[in-house]
Amino acid sequence: MTTLDTLLEPLSYSPQLPQAIALLSQQIEAERAARQRFYDEMTPEQKIEFIEGKVSLHLPARNRHLDVTLWVARLLQTYVEINDLGSVKTEKCLVVFPRNDYEPDIVFFGNERASRLEDDTLKFPVPDLVVEVLSETTEDRDRGVKFEDYAANGVGEYWIVDAFANQIEQYLLREGAYELNVKATSGRLVSRVIEGVEAQIEDFFDRDRNLDALRKLMGP
């Protein structure tokens, strides 16, 4: 795992440390200004993120991507609401990290963080769980900057979902870094962050199985 100390150690002994700090300060100030413009100019119609000082606009999603996102979200949301565990949001939920702003496919806030949300909340806190459904244009970010940023800022669980391979990767946060817990197309998936959530992986990728799982959650 690359730590902050590891990144800074070579620089800390360099005679160019003052110049490096000045350059980084200029970059941070430029990013702050760009981020404020991002907040001022974004609109509800856009799915848009602010990553490493740049605005990233998402392309429309494929049908399979939308279906799987819905099936995962509604199973999680139904369980969370029945058991009063917090709040599940999808798509245009702008979560604010120290440097970047993301709109993940699905996020979960436990009761403590959900209690801070108001009806007019536009900028959401760091979630407890994030689900990203891969696409050709987002996979590098989902496995790169987001993977690192989510772990560094305490997102306790991260699912990477491949809608076309019917596969889920479940990462759990341990000592500030993600460890792969499950990578499978079948079998049982148990969430550590959403207490009591347990499902068959196949339930997230098939409409009829998804409906059956929902019926079981809802009861007679």
Side-chain angles (χ1 to χ4, degrees):
M1 179 181 68
T2 301
T3 66
L4 193 58
D5 287 341
T6 304
L7 290 171
L8 292 178
E9 185 176 3
L11 186 59
S12 65
Y13 296 103
S14 170
Q16 295 182 324
L17 177 62
Q19 295 96 316
I21 291 174
L23 284 172
L24 288 171
S25 297
Q26 290 173 13
Q27 181 180 346
I28 290 170
E29 286 306 311
E31 283 192 16
R32 279 204 192 104
R35 197 175 193 181
Q36 188 56 55
R37 287 195 300 274
F38 166 76
Y39 292 146
D40 292 341
E41 296 172 4
M42 65 183 182
T43 66
E45 294 78 19
Q46 299 170 316
K47 183 170 183 181
I48 195 169
E49 298 179 315
F50 185 83
I51 302 174
E52 297 176 339
K54 297 179 181 178
V55 175
S56 176
L57 185 62
H58 287 245
L59 296 173
R62 298 181 188 275
N63 184 53
R64 178 67 179 172
H65 182 286
L66 295 172
D67 282 345
V68 170
T69 301
L70 173 63
W71 296 335
V72 175
R74 69 184 181 184
L75 268 183
L76 294 181
Q77 184 176 42
T78 300
Y79 184 87
V80 165
E81 290 187 352
I82 286 174
N83 292 283
D84 193 24
L85 296 176
S87 180
V88 173
K89 308 293 182 187
T90 60
E91 293 295 333
K92 296 178 182 178
C93 177
L94 186 74
V95 291
V96 176
F97 284 68
R99 185 182 181 189
N100 302 310
D101 299 279
Y102 305 111
E103 289 191 341
D105 290 299
I106 303 165
V107 295
F108 162 73
F109 302 100
N111 279 321
E112 192 278 323
R113 295 183 187 187
S115 67
R116 301 182 231 155
L117 305 181
E118 305 288 344
D119 287 345
D120 61 349
T121 296
L122 183 62
K123 299 175 187 175
F124 289 76
V126 172
D128 294 292
L129 178 147
V130 171
V131 180
E132 294 284 12
V133 182
L134 297 177
S135 68
E136 294 173 359
T137 57
T138 66
E139 183 169 3
D140 286 348
R141 290 196 298 271
D142 294 341
R143 297 189 180 280
V145 61
K146 290 186 177 184
F147 192 93
E148 181 180 354
D149 209 357
Y150 294 166
N153 287 284
V155 177
E157 189 168 339
Y158 182 30
W159 296 7
I160 296 178
V161 177
D162 188 328
F164 291 90
N166 294 353
Q167 178 178 274
I168 293 182
E169 300 168 38
Q170 180 198 36
Y171 295 90
L172 301 178
L173 189 64
R174 293 192 177 96
E175 297 181 359
Y178 283 133
E179 292 183 6
L180 180 63
N181 189 55
V182 170
K183 181 178 180 179
T185 58
S186 63
R188 192 175 65 146
L189 184 69
V190 179
S191 173
R192 186 183 73 179
V193 167
I194 308 179
E195 183 181 354
V197 163
E198 180 179 329
Q200 293 298 309
I201 289 173
E202 297 94 326
D203 295 344
F204 296 116
F205 296 103
D206 179 83
R207 187 196 66 169
D208 292 336
R209 289 193 59 136
N210 191 262
L211 288 171
D212 286 342
L214 282 171
R215 292 186 186 103
K216 291 175 184 176
L217 282 178
M218 298 297 290

